[in-house]
Amino acid sequence: MQTRIGILGYGNLGKGTEIAVNAAEDMTLTAIFTRRNPSSVKTLSKNVPVVNIAEIEQWKDKIDVLILCGGSATDLPVQTPEYVKLFNVIDSFDTHARIPEHFANVDTAAKESGKVGVISVGWDPGMFSLNRVYANAILPDGNDYTFWGKGVSQGHSDAIRRIDGVKNAKQYTIPVEEALNAVRNGENPVLTTRQKHQRECFVVLKDGADADKVENEIKSMPNYFTDYDTTVHFISEEELLKNHSGMAHGGFVFRSGKTGINKEHQHIIEYSIKLDSNPEFTTSVLIAYARAVKRMYDEGKSGCFTVFDIPPAYLCAQSGEELRAKFL
Amino acid sequence: MQTRIGILGYGNLGKGTEIAVNAAEDMTLTAIFTRRNPSSVKTLSKNVPVVNIAEIEQWKDKIDVLILCGGSATDLPVQTPEYVKLFNVIDSFDTHARIPEHFANVDTAAKESGKVGVISVGWDPGMFSLNRVYANAILPDGNDYTFWGKGVSQGHSDAIRRIDGVKNAKQYTIPVEEALNAVRNGENPVLTTRQKHQRECFVVLKDGADADKVENEIKSMPNYFTDYDTTVHFISEEELLKNHSGMAHGGFVFRSGKTGINKEHQHIIEYSIKLDSNPEFTTSVLIAYARAVKRMYDEGKSGCFTVFDIPPAYLCAQSGEELRAKFL
């Protein structure tokens, strides 16, 4: 039986979800919901209705899982608790500090409606979180390290764009190779912010802007750049569009832990991803967990859950027997 | 409340389990069971009784989880279905081809007794299997690669020791660096056995043995060595004991997959481990899953399960709230 999927929000994440649902043999994309005028939204799937959000309630019995593709700053804190009243939902809420509050809101609403809500699914939070939990469970005595990149940080790129004289900009977060290697070699380094990541900026100036002044403003921006070794390149808009439009990203999660009578044995667990498309990978994770949402709901579960609560087999279309034969 | 652990079998795995249980604040080692004369077994834990296996039934209400530390060839296929009649059990059964049969035997017995049996827990099968399942669920269109090493292969070392003229031997399985890099770079190589792993042998000869003849016999051993580039070093017994007594191991699991409208985006997921002590890491995984066994039994579950069926949070002593705040 097909799992009927709805998408709310049609930006990069919404488009990535659409591609991933269409690639999944056990799923059907039923409708795409938008705050915009539906006729202004051009989707990839020709026969899938685009519906204004105002009419979403009419779809409550036609959709098994609604995938929320809005932003974490303002959309999801409202939408996830709201739509779990009508649908089983899943989101990629990624404001780490606000997860406990978001969880509580979704849990209350989901328990009232009898639906399942799964939050904070993607790669961090998501796959990176999972790896932290598994590795900490296995090696309770040790150190955790997370590195992000190489990839574009949207927040940092935006911060540069707000500087006077800047026309456009992209900022890459890059893990420092020496730090990665020190962790890999079991040195258990204590790393400052500067020792973990570098920042590389590609900036297009407005006509007549002062490059030195802009560079100085970038490098002295508190929180965003002062604590990092930052490189600034000034390039043409043409070059920016040609070479820096990609959405590649990646990162590393390490656990370095000790065992033994005298803690004489060291073990390193490393999980890393290298992604051509950050949104498409995130939505691929969302889709796998949407499968789990349906299964949990069918079992009679309700409330809010995270990747920590969900058995790995629930992400797969295959039977337990197939999984054991092929992957165990 | 403490989880009361029993250990059956006191070899490398049994000793590693003992260390890991003693390091876990929420667990107590209740008894160690052995086929040997208990008075001949010297354990690390002074106040833990060593009991002959013949008396194990008397302990059935005193132990929450029995950890089976026997071998996969002959011990576990008999012991796991047998002892799940009396106890919740967990094993590290690692004969991949026989897992479906072992699962069925344990499942039948566990359902009859109302107990929980978890099989094939360790790193491969175990953590590597988990990573294959997660990565396949996320990237259904792609290729899997598993590399083992650098580490000692017990089976290959034993095979060398059986050769006439060999006094002692250790064999290391080593992943080929070029192959690892080709996978990492997203080249999706088709790799032969020879292209994936090398074999390095350290051999101590008996007095008067013919080194050339032994080297030739090793390199021409079907299945074990003919399909690999094999290097043979002849060393003294002293050097073997000094430099090759360790139990270090490791390995890599990759998933290389594509997404996008035209499958134009590639993603690489890499999971790797580097272990000073293979048995101590394996038992650290066993202990984490023993926590899950107890929890599943307390929830009223029974039957056979694998790592695919168990929510990650069940491996942890922390509450869901703590896990979300710290690791998500």
Side-chain angles (χ1 to χ4, degrees):
Chain A
M1 208 181 74
Q2 295 280 299
T3 297
R4 301 165 301 170
I5 301 286
I7 292 173
L8 172 53
Y10 196 69
N12 284 333
L13 268 192
K15 282 174 201 163
T17 304
E18 182 182 21
I19 295 168
V21 173
N22 287 336
E25 285 175 15
D26 58 337
M27 296 189 180
T28 305
L29 182 56
T30 302
I32 294 170
F33 301 95
T34 177
R35 283 176 296 206
R36 291 179 268 171
N37 176 351
S39 64
S40 74
V41 177
K42 290 214 190 319
T43 64
L44 301 167
S45 320
K46 293 303 158 212
N47 300 317
V48 174
V50 180
V51 180
N52 187 274
I53 185 75
E55 294 164 29
I56 198 168
E57 192 162 352
Q58 299 166 26
W59 292 77
K60 75 185 176 64
D61 298 321
K62 295 174 194 158
I63 284 170
D64 297 310
V65 185
L66 181 67
I67 301 182
L68 304 175
C69 297
S72 296
T74 55
D75 296 334
L76 298 176
V78 177
Q79 289 178 345
T80 315
E82 180 65 26
Y83 293 111
V84 82
K85 293 176 186 167
L86 301 171
F87 300 94
N88 298 308
V89 300
I90 183 165
D91 76 21
S92 60
F93 184 77
D94 68 359
T95 313
H96 290 263
R98 295 187 62 192
I99 286 175
E101 175 193 346
H102 188 55
F103 183 92
N105 293 340
V106 176
D107 196 46
T108 304
K111 280 182 177 147
E112 268 177 40
S113 67
K115 300 286 186 184
V116 170
V118 174
I119 63 163
S120 301
V121 174
W123 56 274
D124 196 3
M127 296 312 296
F128 277 18
S129 323
L130 267 182
N131 275 279
R132 287 188 280 260
V133 156
Y134 276 118
N136 273 270
I138 297 168
L139 298 173
D141 186 359
N143 297 309
D144 291 302
Y145 297 91
T146 300
F147 294 86
W148 297 275
K150 183 185 175 176
V152 173
S153 161
Q154 213 49 59
H156 287 76
S157 302
D158 289 345
I160 299 172
R161 279 188 215 107
R162 284 191 296 263
I163 292 173
D164 199 37
V166 172
K167 193 175 176 192
N168 205 344
K170 279 286 169 80
Q171 190 273 175
Y172 295 94
T173 302
I174 306 168
V176 175
E177 200 64 36
E178 292 76 25
L180 287 176
N181 288 334
V183 173
R184 245 176 227 137
N185 294 336
E187 296 167 24
N188 288 296
V190 177
L191 298 166
T192 63
T193 300
R194 188 178 303 274
Q195 286 169 323
K196 287 187 72 185
H197 295 96
Q198 296 168 332
R199 302 203 175 275
E200 189 170 22
C201 316
F202 292 87
V203 180
V204 181
L205 291 174
K206 287 180 184 161
D207 285 346
D210 180 340
D212 285 348
K213 190 162 167 283
V214 167
E215 179 164 347
N216 194 45
E217 265 195 66
I218 293 172
K219 291 185 174 175
S220 58
M221 206 183 292
N223 302 319
Y224 284 88
F225 292 101
T226 46
D227 297 338
Y228 299 86
D229 288 337
T230 300
T231 316
V232 180
H233 307 277
F234 293 101
I235 60 174
S236 67
E237 178 120 58
E238 192 186 7
E239 194 184 335
L240 189 87
L241 295 176
K242 186 172 161 229
N243 297 332
H244 303 286
S245 292
M247 291 186 281
H249 218 309
F252 303 80
V253 176
F254 292 91
R255 177 81 179 163
S256 168
K258 291 180 186 302
T259 65
I261 306 170
N262 302 306
K263 303 287 175 191
E264 67 277 24
H265 295 132
Q266 180 156 279
H267 313 284
I268 313 279
I269 303 174
E270 175 174 352
Y271 179 83
S272 72
I273 55 175
K274 198 167 68 178
L275 316 175
D276 276 355
S277 166
N278 183 357
E280 284 181 14
F281 186 82
T282 299
T283 53
S284 297
V285 183
L286 276 167
I287 284 301
Y289 275 97
R291 197 170 281 126
V293 169
K294 166 85 158 59
R295 188 154 160 189
M296 291 162 81
Y297 179 73
D298 289 347
E299 286 176 352
K301 292 201 171 70
S302 69
C304 188
F305 302 89
T306 74
V307 294
F308 300 156
D309 307 308
I310 299 174
Y314 280 34
L315 314 190
C316 304
Q318 298 99 316
S319 70
E321 205 172 344
E322 289 171 298
L323 294 179
R324 287 190 295 273
K326 188 162 180 201
F327 298 119
L328 196 62
Chain B
M1 209 181 74
Q2 296 278 298
T3 297
R4 300 165 301 169
I5 301 287
I7 292 174
L8 172 53
Y10 196 69
N12 284 332
L13 268 192
K15 281 174 201 163
T17 303
E18 182 182 20
I19 294 168
V21 172
N22 287 337
E25 285 175 15
D26 58 337
M27 296 187 178
T28 305
L29 183 56
T30 302
I32 294 170
F33 302 95
T34 178
R35 284 177 293 207
R36 291 179 268 171
N37 176 350
S39 64
S40 74
V41 177
K42 289 213 190 321
T43 64
L44 301 167
S45 321
K46 293 304 158 209
N47 301 316
V48 174
V50 180
V51 180
N52 188 274
I53 185 74
E55 294 164 29
I56 197 168
E57 191 163 353
Q58 300 166 26
W59 292 78
K60 75 184 175 64
D61 298 320
K62 296 174 194 160
I63 283 171
D64 296 309
V65 185
L66 181 67
I67 302 182
L68 304 175
C69 297
S72 295
T74 55
D75 296 333
L76 299 176
V78 176
Q79 289 178 345
T80 315
E82 180 64 26
Y83 293 110
V84 82
K85 293 176 186 165
L86 301 170
F87 299 94
N88 298 307
V89 299
I90 182 166
D91 77 21
S92 59
F93 183 77
D94 67 359
T95 312
H96 290 262
R98 293 187 62 193
I99 286 175
E101 175 193 346
H102 188 55
F103 182 92
N105 293 339
V106 176
D107 196 46
T108 304
K111 280 182 178 145
E112 268 177 39
S113 67
K115 300 286 185 184
V116 170
V118 174
I119 63 162
S120 300
V121 174
W123 58 272
D124 195 3
M127 296 312 296
F128 277 17
S129 324
L130 267 182
N131 275 280
R132 287 189 280 260
V133 156
Y134 276 118
N136 273 269
I138 297 169
L139 298 173
D141 186 359
N143 298 309
D144 291 303
Y145 297 91
T146 301
F147 295 86
W148 296 275
K150 181 183 176 176
V152 173
S153 162
Q154 212 51 59
H156 286 76
S157 301
D158 289 345
I160 298 172
R161 278 188 216 109
R162 285 191 294 264
I163 292 173
D164 199 37
V166 172
K167 191 176 177 194
N168 205 344
K170 278 285 169 82
Q171 190 272 176
Y172 294 94
T173 303
I174 306 168
V176 176
E177 200 65 35
E178 293 75 28
L180 287 176
N181 288 332
V183 173
R184 246 178 226 137
N185 294 335
E187 296 168 25
N188 288 295
V190 177
L191 297 165
T192 63
T193 300
R194 188 177 302 275
Q195 287 168 324
K196 287 187 71 185
H197 295 97
Q198 296 167 332
R199 301 203 176 275
E200 190 170 22
C201 316
F202 293 86
V203 179
V204 181
L205 292 174
K206 286 181 184 161
D207 284 347
D210 179 340
D212 286 347
K213 190 163 167 281
V214 168
E215 178 164 348
N216 193 47
E217 265 195 67
I218 293 173
K219 290 186 174 175
S220 59
M221 206 184 291
N223 303 318
Y224 284 88
F225 292 101
T226 46
D227 297 337
Y228 300 85
D229 288 338
T230 300
T231 316
V232 180
H233 308 277
F234 293 101
I235 60 175
S236 66
E237 177 120 59
E238 192 187 5
E239 194 185 335
L240 189 86
L241 295 175
K242 186 175 161 226
N243 297 332
H244 304 285
S245 291
M247 292 187 280
H249 219 309
F252 303 80
V253 176
F254 291 90
R255 177 81 179 163
S256 167
K258 290 179 187 300
T259 65
I261 306 171
N262 303 306
K263 302 287 173 191
E264 69 277 23
H265 295 132
Q266 180 155 278
H267 312 283
I268 313 279
I269 303 174
E270 176 175 351
Y271 179 82
S272 72
I273 56 175
K274 199 167 70 180
L275 315 176
D276 275 356
S277 166
N278 183 358
E280 284 182 13
F281 187 82
T282 299
T283 53
S284 297
V285 183
L286 277 168
I287 284 300
Y289 275 96
R291 197 171 281 126
V293 169
K294 167 84 159 59
R295 188 155 160 187
M296 292 162 80
Y297 178 73
D298 288 347
E299 286 176 351
K301 292 199 171 71
S302 68
C304 188
F305 302 88
T306 74
V307 295
F308 299 157
D309 307 308
I310 299 174
Y314 280 34
L315 314 190
C316 304
Q318 299 98 315
S319 70
E321 206 172 343
E322 288 171 300
L323 294 178
R324 288 190 295 275
K326 186 161 181 200
F327 298 119
L328 196 63

